[in-house]
Amino acid sequence: MDPAAPSDPAAPAVPDSPLADAVLARLTELYAPAADPERAEGAAAYMKHIAPFLGIPTPERRALSKVVLAGTGRPDERDCTAIALRCWELPEREYQYFAVDYLRRYVASCSSGFLPVLHHLVTTTPWWDTVDLLAAHVAGPLVSAVPSLARAMDRWIDDENLWAARTALLHQLRYKDATDTDRLFGYCLRRADHPDFFIRKAIGWALREYAKTDPTAVRDFVEGARGRLSPLSVREALKNL
């Protein structure tokens, strides 16, 4: 299966949202004139041409985003859904970066009902630049707020789309002492034989991050699972130990 191919059978419906109408109108009005074709070409090449770019440097893009959002108020889940999905429909990657930043800021406005939308976002035009932030800063807080959503991560870890599985592996990245170690270690073993670099790297990254909290547990796990974990996963997990 092409790792960039969406595994959702159809995109979720975009709900009506006057806030999204206003935000998208401002967003496209301000982002488009800031485009830099030369930078865009370099950015697209760096990201393996996963999407076209406008070529707006991150500091400038975020400054423009502040102007876009000035006076817009706090969204509800319907607004977050509409803004994210409409940004994902636009071709240039910077619009998706805007949506990721927006969801990070307002993830507390979303409930378990947002999970199908999130699955669509991490499996549509997926690459590490959006998926990793959505995993740690959107999936993670959603599961933390609604612990029963961990069962959804139990499904995602076995998803045929590697980016959904990577999201499950990384969703506890910021949990520290609150990490469910049975899930973390269990997920690592369930996907230990996955052939793709991005899954093997995510296993090592998730373990390395938790090692900052409990290095002994990670060292013991890796030593016990060396015969199953890839050399890349082991190397990444033990990098700081």
Side-chain angles (χ1 to χ4, degrees), residues 118-143:
L118 182 59
H119 189 275
H120 174 75
L121 301 181
V122 300
T123 58
T124 303
T125 321
W127 201 241
W128 61 264
D129 56 336
T130 55
V131 170
D132 293 357
L133 292 172
L134 290 170
H137 297 279
V138 181
L142 283 174
V143 174

Side-chain angles (χ1 to χ4, degrees), residues 180-199:
D180 182 335
T181 54
D182 288 341
R183 275 197 165 86
L184 172 61
F185 296 153
Y187 286 3
C188 291
L189 290 176
R190 279 161 70 172
R191 303 319 303 253
D193 62 351
H194 198 289
D196 192 89
F197 167 86
F198 285 104
I199 293 295

Side-chain angles (χ1 to χ4, degrees), residues 9-51:
V14 180
D16 291 332
S17 165
L19 176 58
D21 292 342
V23 167
L24 267 292
R26 290 187 190 181
L27 181 63
T28 52
E29 181 181 351
L30 288 175
Y31 270 29
D36 181 329
E38 185 174 346
R39 282 182 176 273
E41 184 177 345
Y46 178 70
M47 289 297 172
K48 308 296 184 184
H49 297 282
I50 189 68

Side-chain angles (χ1 to χ4, degrees), residues 157-179:
I157 191 62
D158 294 319
D159 199 297
E160 64 177 356
N161 186 292
L162 72 88
W163 298 101
R166 183 173 167 102
T167 299
L169 282 163
L170 299 179
H171 84 277
Q172 297 193 86
L173 210 58
R174 302 172 68 235
Y175 280 21
K176 298 182 180 180
D177 287 332
T179 299

